[in-house]
Amino acid sequence: RESNLETIPDQVEELDNIILELDNIREDDIRGIAHRLHPSIVRVGAGVGLRSLRNFYDSLIPVELVVNEAATQLEPAGTSVIPDDVRLGVYRIAELALGNVAKHAEATVCTLGWIYDEAEETLIMSVTDDGKGFDADEILQTGLGMVNIGDYADAMDASLEITSQPGMGTKLKLSI
């Protein structure tokens, strides 16, 4: 812009608009994508990460977050006894599942659960919707999001149950 200011005076305003738009893309889009690629919020805790996902997806579909007291006690005041890889894996699976609900389910409501079962010493993250559902045998083998969800669960050595039927909604349950 500066080197050609005298030769293109009639295009300066357009260049200024382009510069402003590029700055906005960098700040709004690229920064947001970078934070979502490696969400620093999961360093604080899995519960905080799930809350941020609920806030993000709540603008697309109503998401109710259900967290029990035992899960909250695992992450007091910005600390967590939950390993980093588990926090990130739970976040990624919830993100993919909520994305699927928003894109495909045609649901009216979704519930995101984060529970610690003290008796079983098991963390449970669940995503349930009242959407159109799907044929689980077909989608679980071919859908890239579902394959990625399975890969994250395997990496955490967690058990994963996905139940769905056409017209009956979907439930994902991750047990760690």
Side-chain angles (χ1 to χ4, degrees):
R1 178 195 180 275
E2 297 303 322
S3 63
N4 294 311
L5 190 57
E6 293 176 14
T7 59
I8 54 164
D10 54 330
Q11 296 173 341
V12 170
E13 184 177 339
E14 185 175 341
L15 284 173
D16 287 342
N17 289 335
I18 291 170
I19 291 168
L20 181 62
E21 190 169 329
L22 285 173
D23 281 344
N24 289 337
I25 289 170
R26 184 192 71 231
E27 286 301 313
D28 298 339
D29 298 338
I30 296 174
R31 187 177 300 266
I33 290 168
H35 283 289
R36 292 190 63 209
L37 283 173
H38 186 69
S40 58
I41 196 158
V42 297
R43 288 188 203 138
V44 177
V48 173
L50 293 174
R51 210 168 283 111
S52 75
L53 285 172
R54 186 265 328 260
N55 293 344
F56 177 80
Y57 283 99
D58 200 47
S59 65
L60 303 172
I61 179 172
V63 178
E64 179 186 0
L65 178 63
V66 177
V67 180
N68 75 347
E69 184 60 30
T72 302
Q73 289 178 2
L74 294 175
E75 300 181 311
T79 63
S80 182
V81 299
I82 301 168
D84 291 345
D85 63 327
V86 171
R87 283 181 275 160
L88 182 59
V90 165
Y91 179 91
R92 289 294 183 214
I93 290 172
E95 179 180 42
L96 288 165
L98 290 169
N100 283 341
V101 172
K103 284 186 246 178
H104 306 296
E106 298 175 13
T108 60
V109 69
C110 177
T111 301
L112 173 59
W114 182 235
I115 293 167
Y116 180 60
D117 182 332
E118 294 176 280
E120 297 291 323
E121 296 183 343
T122 302
L123 280 166
I124 301 166
M125 189 277 295
S126 61
V127 177
T128 306
D129 70 68
D130 68 347
K132 66 181 183 177
F134 57 88
D135 181 346
D137 293 333
E138 198 174 297
I139 299 292
L140 295 178
Q141 304 301 320
T142 60
L144 183 58
M146 293 300 205
V147 170
N148 287 338
I149 286 171
D151 288 346
Y152 280 116
D154 289 345
M156 291 185 293
D157 198 26
S159 70
L160 178 65
E161 298 172 43
I162 299 173
T163 54
S164 187
Q165 293 179 2
M168 302 295 289
T170 303
K171 180 174 184 175
L172 176 146
K173 180 181 175 186
L174 178 74
S175 300
I176 310 152

PDB file of all heavy atoms in Angstrom, residues 12-33:
ATOM      1  N   VAL A  12      -6.585   3.299  -2.652  1.00  0.00           N
ATOM      2  CA  VAL A  12      -6.106   3.304  -1.274  1.00  0.00           C
ATOM      3  C   VAL A  12      -7.209   2.880  -0.303  1.00  0.00           C
ATOM      4  O   VAL A  12      -6.985   2.075   0.593  1.00  0.00           O
ATOM      5  CB  VAL A  12      -5.522   4.683  -0.894  1.00  0.00           C
ATOM      6  CG1 VAL A  12      -5.249   4.764   0.593  1.00  0.00           C
ATOM      7  CG2 VAL A  12      -4.261   4.960  -1.691  1.00  0.00           C
ATOM      8  N   GLU A  13      -8.402   3.410  -0.494  1.00  0.00           N
ATOM      9  CA  GLU A  13      -9.509   3.054   0.408  1.00  0.00           C
ATOM     10  C   GLU A  13      -9.811   1.551   0.320  1.00  0.00           C
ATOM     11  O   GLU A  13     -10.028   0.884   1.333  1.00  0.00           O
ATOM     12  CB  GLU A  13     -10.758   3.856   0.077  1.00  0.00           C
ATOM     13  CG  GLU A  13     -11.896   3.592   1.061  1.00  0.00           C
ATOM     14  CD  GLU A  13     -13.119   4.457   0.777  1.00  0.00           C
ATOM     15  OE1 GLU A  13     -12.987   5.496   0.111  1.00  0.00           O
ATOM     16  OE2 GLU A  13     -14.192   4.052   1.243  1.00  0.00           O
ATOM     17  N   GLU A  14      -9.788   1.026  -0.886  1.00  0.00           N
ATOM     18  CA  GLU A  14     -10.038  -0.409  -1.053  1.00  0.00           C
ATOM     19  C   GLU A  14      -8.934  -1.236  -0.383  1.00  0.00           C
ATOM     20  O   GLU A  14      -9.214  -2.234   0.283  1.00  0.00           O
ATOM     21  CB  GLU A  14     -10.129  -0.760  -2.541  1.00  0.00           C
ATOM     22  CG  GLU A  14     -10.515  -2.212  -2.772  1.00  0.00           C
ATOM     23  CD  GLU A  14     -10.713  -2.516  -4.253  1.00  0.00           C
ATOM     24  OE1 GLU A  14     -10.901  -1.588  -5.056  1.00  0.00           O
ATOM     25  OE2 GLU A  14     -10.671  -3.707  -4.577  1.00  0.00           O
ATOM     26  N   LEU A  15      -7.687  -0.808  -0.521  1.00  0.00           N
ATOM     27  CA  LEU A  15      -6.575  -1.499   0.142  1.00  0.00           C
ATOM     28  C   LEU A  15      -6.705  -1.421   1.667  1.00  0.00           C
ATOM     29  O   LEU A  15      -6.440  -2.400   2.364  1.00  0.00           O
ATOM     30  CB  LEU A  15      -5.231  -0.928  -0.305  1.00  0.00           C
ATOM     31  CG  LEU A  15      -4.753  -1.336  -1.694  1.00  0.00           C
ATOM     32  CD1 LEU A  15      -3.496  -0.568  -2.075  1.00  0.00           C
ATOM     33  CD2 LEU A  15      -4.504  -2.827  -1.757  1.00  0.00           C
ATOM     34  N   ASP A  16      -7.124  -0.270   2.160  1.00  0.00           N
ATOM     35  CA  ASP A  16      -7.337  -0.130   3.606  1.00  0.00           C
ATOM     36  C   ASP A  16      -8.410  -1.103   4.093  1.00  0.00           C
ATOM     37  O   ASP A  16      -8.268  -1.722   5.159  1.00  0.00           O
ATOM     38  CB  ASP A  16      -7.726   1.306   3.962  1.00  0.00           C
ATOM     39  CG  ASP A  16      -6.550   2.269   3.872  1.00  0.00           C
ATOM     40  OD1 ASP A  16      -5.389   1.790   3.882  1.00  0.00           O
ATOM     41  OD2 ASP A  16      -6.799   3.490   3.793  1.00  0.00           O
ATOM     42  N   ASN A  17      -9.468  -1.269   3.312  1.00  0.00           N
ATOM     43  CA  ASN A  17     -10.519  -2.214   3.677  1.00  0.00           C
ATOM     44  C   ASN A  17     -10.006  -3.657   3.661  1.00  0.00           C
ATOM     45  O   ASN A  17     -10.360  -4.460   4.519  1.00  0.00           O
ATOM     46  CB  ASN A  17     -11.731  -2.074   2.753  1.00  0.00           C
ATOM     47  CG  ASN A  17     -12.495  -0.796   3.007  1.00  0.00           C
ATOM     48  OD1 ASN A  17     -12.442  -0.238   4.096  1.00  0.00           O
ATOM     49  ND2 ASN A  17     -13.197  -0.319   1.990  1.00  0.00           N
ATOM     50  N   ILE A  18      -9.181  -3.972   2.678  1.00  0.00           N
ATOM     51  CA  ILE A  18      -8.604  -5.322   2.597  1.00  0.00           C
ATOM     52  C   ILE A  18      -7.700  -5.575   3.798  1.00  0.00           C
ATOM     53  O   ILE A  18      -7.747  -6.656   4.413  1.00  0.00           O
ATOM     54  CB  ILE A  18      -7.841  -5.509   1.263  1.00  0.00           C
ATOM     55  CG1 ILE A  18      -8.828  -5.546   0.094  1.00  0.00           C
ATOM     56  CG2 ILE A  18      -6.990  -6.786   1.305  1.00  0.00           C
ATOM     57  CD1 ILE A  18      -8.169  -5.483  -1.273  1.00  0.00           C
ATOM     58  N   ILE A  19      -6.876  -4.602   4.149  1.00  0.00           N
ATOM     59  CA  ILE A  19      -5.982  -4.733   5.307  1.00  0.00           C
ATOM     60  C   ILE A  19      -6.795  -4.952   6.578  1.00  0.00           C
ATOM     61  O   ILE A  19      -6.482  -5.823   7.395  1.00  0.00           O
ATOM     62  CB  ILE A  19      -5.060  -3.498   5.422  1.00  0.00           C
ATOM     63  CG1 ILE A  19      -4.047  -3.486   4.277  1.00  0.00           C
ATOM     64  CG2 ILE A  19      -4.355  -3.474   6.784  1.00  0.00           C
ATOM     65  CD1 ILE A  19      -3.284  -2.182   4.142  1.00  0.00           C
ATOM     66  N   LEU A  20      -7.847  -4.183   6.740  1.00  0.00           N
ATOM     67  CA  LEU A  20      -8.713  -4.326   7.918  1.00  0.00           C
ATOM     68  C   LEU A  20      -9.356  -5.708   7.949  1.00  0.00           C
ATOM     69  O   LEU A  20      -9.410  -6.366   8.993  1.00  0.00           O
ATOM     70  CB  LEU A  20      -9.782  -3.230   7.925  1.00  0.00           C
ATOM     71  CG  LEU A  20     -10.742  -3.230   9.107  1.00  0.00           C
ATOM     72  CD1 LEU A  20      -9.980  -3.011  10.423  1.00  0.00           C
ATOM     73  CD2 LEU A  20     -11.801  -2.149   8.920  1.00  0.00           C
ATOM     74  N   GLU A  21      -9.832  -6.170   6.805  1.00  0.00           N
ATOM     75  CA  GLU A  21     -10.464  -7.493   6.743  1.00  0.00           C
ATOM     76  C   GLU A  21      -9.456  -8.601   7.061  1.00  0.00           C
ATOM     77  O   GLU A  21      -9.779  -9.549   7.779  1.00  0.00           O
ATOM     78  CB  GLU A  21     -11.079  -7.708   5.359  1.00  0.00           C
ATOM     79  CG  GLU A  21     -11.944  -8.951   5.312  1.00  0.00           C
ATOM     80  CD  GLU A  21     -12.756  -9.029   4.029  1.00  0.00           C
ATOM     81  OE1 GLU A  21     -13.126  -7.981   3.470  1.00  0.00           O
ATOM     82  OE2 GLU A  21     -13.012 -10.157   3.604  1.00  0.00           O
ATOM     83  N   LEU A  22      -8.237  -8.489   6.558  1.00  0.00           N
ATOM     84  CA  LEU A  22      -7.197  -9.477   6.865  1.00  0.00           C
ATOM     85  C   LEU A  22      -6.868  -9.488   8.360  1.00  0.00           C
ATOM     86  O   LEU A  22      -6.685 -10.549   8.960  1.00  0.00           O
ATOM     87  CB  LEU A  22      -5.934  -9.218   6.045  1.00  0.00           C
ATOM     88  CG  LEU A  22      -6.004  -9.600   4.572  1.00  0.00           C
ATOM     89  CD1 LEU A  22      -4.750  -9.121   3.832  1.00  0.00           C
ATOM     90  CD2 LEU A  22      -6.188 -11.092   4.415  1.00  0.00           C
ATOM     91  N   ASP A  23      -6.796  -8.321   8.967  1.00  0.00           N
ATOM     92  CA  ASP A  23      -6.568  -8.243  10.415  1.00  0.00           C
ATOM     93  C   ASP A  23      -7.699  -8.923  11.184  1.00  0.00           C
ATOM     94  O   ASP A  23      -7.463  -9.646  12.154  1.00  0.00           O
ATOM     95  CB  ASP A  23      -6.431  -6.788  10.872  1.00  0.00           C
ATOM     96  CG  ASP A  23      -5.063  -6.197  10.592  1.00  0.00           C
ATOM     97  OD1 ASP A  23      -4.125  -6.986  10.325  1.00  0.00           O
ATOM     98  OD2 ASP A  23      -4.935  -4.967  10.647  1.00  0.00           O
ATOM     99  N   ASN A  24      -8.931  -8.689  10.740  1.00  0.00           N
ATOM    100  CA  ASN A  24     -10.076  -9.322  11.403  1.00  0.00           C
ATOM    101  C   ASN A  24     -10.051 -10.835  11.243  1.00  0.00           C
ATOM    102  O   ASN A  24     -10.353 -11.566  12.186  1.00  0.00           O
ATOM    103  CB  ASN A  24     -11.394  -8.756  10.867  1.00  0.00           C
ATOM    104  CG  ASN A  24     -11.630  -7.338  11.329  1.00  0.00           C
ATOM    105  OD1 ASN A  24     -11.082  -6.903  12.339  1.00  0.00           O
ATOM    106  ND2 ASN A  24     -12.440  -6.603  10.584  1.00  0.00           N
ATOM    107  N   ILE A  25      -9.702 -11.304  10.059  1.00  0.00           N
ATOM    108  CA  ILE A  25      -9.593 -12.755   9.837  1.00  0.00           C
ATOM    109  C   ILE A  25      -8.533 -13.338  10.758  1.00  0.00           C
ATOM    110  O   ILE A  25      -8.750 -14.366  11.406  1.00  0.00           O
ATOM    111  CB  ILE A  25      -9.276 -13.062   8.357  1.00  0.00           C
ATOM    112  CG1 ILE A  25     -10.497 -12.765   7.485  1.00  0.00           C
ATOM    113  CG2 ILE A  25      -8.827 -14.518   8.186  1.00  0.00           C
ATOM    114  CD1 ILE A  25     -10.210 -12.806   5.993  1.00  0.00           C
ATOM    115  N   ARG A  26      -7.397 -12.694  10.842  1.00  0.00           N
ATOM    116  CA  ARG A  26      -6.322 -13.184  11.708  1.00  0.00           C
ATOM    117  C   ARG A  26      -6.776 -13.227  13.161  1.00  0.00           C
ATOM    118  O   ARG A  26      -6.613 -14.228  13.844  1.00  0.00           O
ATOM    119  CB  ARG A  26      -5.078 -12.301  11.581  1.00  0.00           C
ATOM    120  CG  ARG A  26      -3.907 -12.846  12.407  1.00  0.00           C
ATOM    121  CD  ARG A  26      -2.751 -11.875  12.543  1.00  0.00           C
ATOM    122  NE  ARG A  26      -3.167 -10.793  13.434  1.00  0.00           N
ATOM    123  CZ  ARG A  26      -3.056  -9.506  13.165  1.00  0.00           C
ATOM    124  NH1 ARG A  26      -2.528  -9.111  12.042  1.00  0.00           N
ATOM    125  NH2 ARG A  26      -3.459  -8.592  14.015  1.00  0.00           N
ATOM    126  N   GLU A  27      -7.359 -12.167  13.623  1.00  0.00           N
ATOM    127  CA  GLU A  27      -7.752 -12.086  15.029  1.00  0.00           C
ATOM    128  C   GLU A  27      -8.938 -12.982  15.366  1.00  0.00           C
ATOM    129  O   GLU A  27      -8.921 -13.679  16.357  1.00  0.00           O
ATOM    130  CB  GLU A  27      -8.076 -10.634  15.409  1.00  0.00           C
ATOM    131  CG  GLU A  27      -6.860  -9.763  15.552  1.00  0.00           C
ATOM    132  CD  GLU A  27      -5.882 -10.252  16.603  1.00  0.00           C
ATOM    133  OE1 GLU A  27      -6.307 -10.589  17.727  1.00  0.00           O
ATOM    134  OE2 GLU A  27      -4.685 -10.314  16.296  1.00  0.00           O
ATOM    135  N   ASP A  28      -9.961 -12.942  14.543  1.00  0.00           N
ATOM    136  CA  ASP A  28     -11.196 -13.653  14.863  1.00  0.00           C
ATOM    137  C   ASP A  28     -11.155 -15.124  14.456  1.00  0.00           C
ATOM    138  O   ASP A  28     -11.489 -15.997  15.244  1.00  0.00           O
ATOM    139  CB  ASP A  28     -12.397 -12.979  14.194  1.00  0.00           C
ATOM    140  CG  ASP A  28     -12.605 -11.557  14.678  1.00  0.00           C
ATOM    141  OD1 ASP A  28     -12.108 -11.219  15.766  1.00  0.00           O
ATOM    142  OD2 ASP A  28     -13.262 -10.782  13.965  1.00  0.00           O
ATOM    143  N   ASP A  29     -10.762 -15.385  13.238  1.00  0.00           N
ATOM    144  CA  ASP A  29     -10.852 -16.741  12.721  1.00  0.00           C
ATOM    145  C   ASP A  29      -9.621 -17.585  13.044  1.00  0.00           C
ATOM    146  O   ASP A  29      -9.738 -18.654  13.646  1.00  0.00           O
ATOM    147  CB  ASP A  29     -11.060 -16.722  11.204  1.00  0.00           C
ATOM    148  CG  ASP A  29     -12.362 -16.039  10.801  1.00  0.00           C
ATOM    149  OD1 ASP A  29     -13.266 -15.956  11.646  1.00  0.00           O
ATOM    150  OD2 ASP A  29     -12.462 -15.582   9.661  1.00  0.00           O
ATOM    151  N   ILE A  30      -8.461 -17.123  12.654  1.00  0.00           N
ATOM    152  CA  ILE A  30      -7.250 -17.936  12.815  1.00  0.00           C
ATOM    153  C   ILE A  30      -6.910 -18.122  14.290  1.00  0.00           C
ATOM    154  O   ILE A  30      -6.587 -19.232  14.721  1.00  0.00           O
ATOM    155  CB  ILE A  30      -6.070 -17.327  12.026  1.00  0.00           C
ATOM    156  CG1 ILE A  30      -6.397 -17.374  10.527  1.00  0.00           C
ATOM    157  CG2 ILE A  30      -4.773 -18.068  12.336  1.00  0.00           C
ATOM    158  CD1 ILE A  30      -5.401 -16.684   9.642  1.00  0.00           C
ATOM    159  N   ARG A  31      -7.005 -17.093  15.076  1.00  0.00           N
ATOM    160  CA  ARG A  31      -6.735 -17.220  16.511  1.00  0.00           C
ATOM    161  C   ARG A  31      -7.717 -18.194  17.163  1.00  0.00           C
ATOM    162  O   ARG A  31      -7.350 -19.032  17.961  1.00  0.00           O
ATOM    163  CB  ARG A  31      -6.789 -15.867  17.201  1.00  0.00           C
ATOM    164  CG  ARG A  31      -6.350 -15.896  18.649  1.00  0.00           C
ATOM    165  CD  ARG A  31      -6.352 -14.511  19.251  1.00  0.00           C
ATOM    166  NE  ARG A  31      -5.466 -13.600  18.562  1.00  0.00           N
ATOM    167  CZ  ARG A  31      -4.203 -13.361  18.916  1.00  0.00           C
ATOM    168  NH1 ARG A  31      -3.703 -13.966  19.954  1.00  0.00           N
ATOM    169  NH2 ARG A  31      -3.470 -12.516  18.248  1.00  0.00           N
ATOM    170  N   GLY A  32      -8.992 -18.098  16.781  1.00  0.00           N
ATOM    171  CA  GLY A  32     -10.002 -19.016  17.311  1.00  0.00           C
ATOM    172  C   GLY A  32      -9.718 -20.453  16.919  1.00  0.00           C
ATOM    173  O   GLY A  32      -9.834 -21.373  17.736  1.00  0.00           O
ATOM    174  N   ILE A  33      -9.334 -20.666  15.671  1.00  0.00           N
ATOM    175  CA  ILE A  33      -9.005 -22.012  15.203  1.00  0.00           C
ATOM    176  C   ILE A  33      -7.781 -22.539  15.947  1.00  0.00           C
ATOM    177  O   ILE A  33      -7.758 -23.695  16.378  1.00  0.00           O
ATOM    178  CB  ILE A  33      -8.764 -22.012  13.676  1.00  0.00           C
ATOM    179  CG1 ILE A  33     -10.084 -21.788  12.941  1.00  0.00           C
ATOM    180  CG2 ILE A  33      -8.123 -23.319  13.221  1.00  0.00           C
ATOM    181  CD1 ILE A  33      -9.926 -21.477  11.466  1.00  0.00           C
TER     182      ILE A  33
END
